[in-house]
Each structure stands twice: as C-alpha cells, then as structure tokens.
C-alpha cells in the first residue's frame, strides 16, 4: 500500500512465478551443451570453448585426447547397451580426475577431448598419469575383462601463440595414435580371449 495524506491507495500487480520456466530454460541450455549419454560437454560446446581459449593469456594450453580401446568389439559382442555403459564409465572417470582444472568433452563415439588452460606440458603429463592411475583402480574392481576400461591417452601443449590450437590437437591425436598402435594388439587379443571364454 502507498499512503498519501492519511489515505491509502492500492497498487495492483501480478506476481508470476517464473522458477519453473527458468528451470526448463536451464535444462534446455544444459542439454544443448552436454552429451546426452555421458554428461560431458558435447562437441559443439567443446568447439566454442576452444575458440574462447584462443588467447595468449590462456597459455600454456594443453590438450588431452582419449579413445576407448575395443569399444567396437564390445558393441558387436554384447550390444550397444554394454558399449554405452563403458562410454559412460570412461566419461565419469575422466570428469572426476579433471574436475575444475579443465573441460572434458565427448567428441566422438568412444573419443574424448580435454582442454587444460594454463597447463604446461609437464603438468599435462601428470594429469595423463592421474587418468591412467584412475583407470587402473577402476579395473582392479572389475573381475571380468570385458568390464575393464582401456583408454589410450595422448597430449600436446601450446606454448607459443603463433602455433595454431588445431595443430596442438593434431599433436595430441598423433601421440594418442602412436600409443594406440602399441597397445592395440595386446588389449584386443586379451579382450577377444575373454569374450570367447
């Protein structure tokens, strides 16, 4: 009420509860930026963040590329539900290790990309070691090899702004594929033996 010389006048208004509308808006925004299966960032959002990181003050900027080994074999042998479960576990593991140090995105079927701003090459190597350690701990809890995670991780670092961020991603991917070639035969043969058993 508004008082004017002893008289009260009434101000009318409408109160609208927009909390439900805001909640729906936030849900839509979340869905547009995150992968539906894993909760990690999706490729579109990853590309946006990568552009945002394309500034000298973000240097050194490290990139980690990860690819789940044997996902196609798991899908063929046990169905996509099992493969999806493995992808979800890999994403949860990666996000729990990276936390607020960077950004984890699912950028392909069993592929993940991580952006680590203000992270030098040595620190990126340490993060990769932490990820590998987390994978080992996860696998110790699994009695069946087909439930174990095998993720090949490669990394690269941008220290010079003159070097394109895409080139750093190419470096990280090349590093990952080199390691993948070394790991592929032993993992694939043990996985197939486990499936046959």
């Amino acid at each position: 009420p508004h008082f004017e010389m002893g008289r009260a006048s009434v101000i009318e208004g409408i109160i609208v509860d927009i909390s439900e509308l805001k909640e729906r808006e936030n849900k839509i925004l979340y869905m547009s930026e995150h992968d539906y299966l894993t909760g990690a960032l999706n490729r579109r959002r990853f590309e946006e963040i990568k552009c945002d990181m394309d500034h000298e003050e973000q240097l050194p900027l490290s990139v980690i590329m990860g690819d789940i080994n044997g996902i196609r074999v798991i899908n063929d042998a046990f169905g996509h539900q099992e493969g999806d479960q493995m992808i979800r576990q890999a994403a949860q593991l990666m996000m729990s290790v990276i936390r607020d140090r960077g950004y984890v995105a699912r950028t392909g079927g069993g592929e993940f990309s991580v952006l680590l701003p203000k992270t030098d090459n040595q620190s990126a190597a340490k993060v990769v070691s932490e990820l590998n350690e987390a994978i080992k701990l996860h696998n110790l809890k699994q009695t069946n090899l087909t439930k174990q995670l095998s993720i090949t991780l490669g990394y690269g670092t941008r220290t010079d702004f003159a070097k394109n961020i895409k080139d750093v991603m190419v470096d990280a991917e090349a590093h990952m594929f080199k390691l993948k070639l070394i790991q592929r035969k032993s993992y694939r043969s043990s996985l197939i033996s486990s499936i046959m058993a």
Side-chain angles (χ1 to χ4, degrees):
H2 172 66
F3 293 99
E4 195 181 300
M5 293 218 172
R7 293 195 340 242
S9 59
V10 178
I11 298 172
E12 282 188 43
I14 299 172
I15 298 172
V16 179
D17 184 1
I18 63 163
S19 59
E20 197 175 303
L21 183 65
K22 274 287 182 201
E23 193 177 315
R24 228 176 309 145
E25 202 176 274
N26 288 339
K27 202 179 228 179
I28 290 167
L29 180 64
Y30 180 87
M31 287 167 53
S32 73
E33 294 181 344
H34 292 81
D35 174 55
Y36 72 97
L37 181 66
T38 64
L41 296 172
N42 61 25
R43 178 180 275 283
R44 186 189 65 77
R45 182 65 183 132
F46 179 79
E47 291 299 327
E48 288 175 356
I49 292 170
K50 192 171 74 174
C51 288
D52 292 344
M53 296 283 140
D54 199 10
H55 296 287
E56 204 157 1
E57 56 268 18
Q58 298 297 337
L59 299 182
L61 175 68
S62 289
V63 177
I64 298 172
M65 305 289 277
D67 191 29
I68 302 173
N69 299 314
I71 195 74
R72 207 172 274 157
V73 177
I74 294 291
N75 282 337
D76 291 345
F78 301 107
H80 286 276
Q81 222 169 351
E82 281 297 315
D84 286 352
Q85 180 63 23
M86 187 172 276
I87 292 168
R88 268 192 297 272
Q89 288 174 341
Q92 291 307 311
L93 186 142
M94 292 183 81
M95 289 187 293
S96 71
V97 170
I98 300 301
R99 295 178 308 277
D100 58 355
R101 293 185 283 186
Y103 304 89
V104 179
R106 180 179 175 214
T107 49
E111 296 166 16
F112 294 90
S113 300
V114 179
L115 282 174
L116 299 168
K118 299 181 183 174
T119 305
D120 62 25
N121 202 51
Q122 192 176 355
S123 300
K126 189 174 181 288
V127 173
V128 168
S129 292
E130 287 176 43
L131 285 165
N132 284 324
E133 195 57 39
I135 292 165
K136 280 181 196 167
L137 288 172
H138 168 84
N139 289 343
L140 285 174
K141 298 173 191 168
Q142 309 302 317
T143 53
N144 185 341
L145 183 68
T146 60
K147 302 282 185 189
Q148 292 186 356
L149 281 174
S150 173
I151 307 171
T152 303
L153 301 162
Y155 64 96
T157 303
R158 181 187 197 190
T159 54
D160 183 359
F161 191 64
K163 186 173 184 175
N164 194 304
I165 195 166
K166 288 177 185 172
D167 294 334
V168 178
M169 295 195 73
V170 167
D171 291 348
E173 198 168 35
H175 182 227
M176 179 190 73
F177 281 124
K178 192 190 295 183
L179 292 172
K180 201 168 185 66
L181 285 173
I182 296 164
Q183 297 169 359
R184 180 177 277 160
K185 282 185 182 175
S186 63
Y187 177 75
R188 194 175 174 88
S189 64
S190 59
L191 178 61
I192 290 169
S193 301
S194 179
I195 289 169
M196 290 177 75

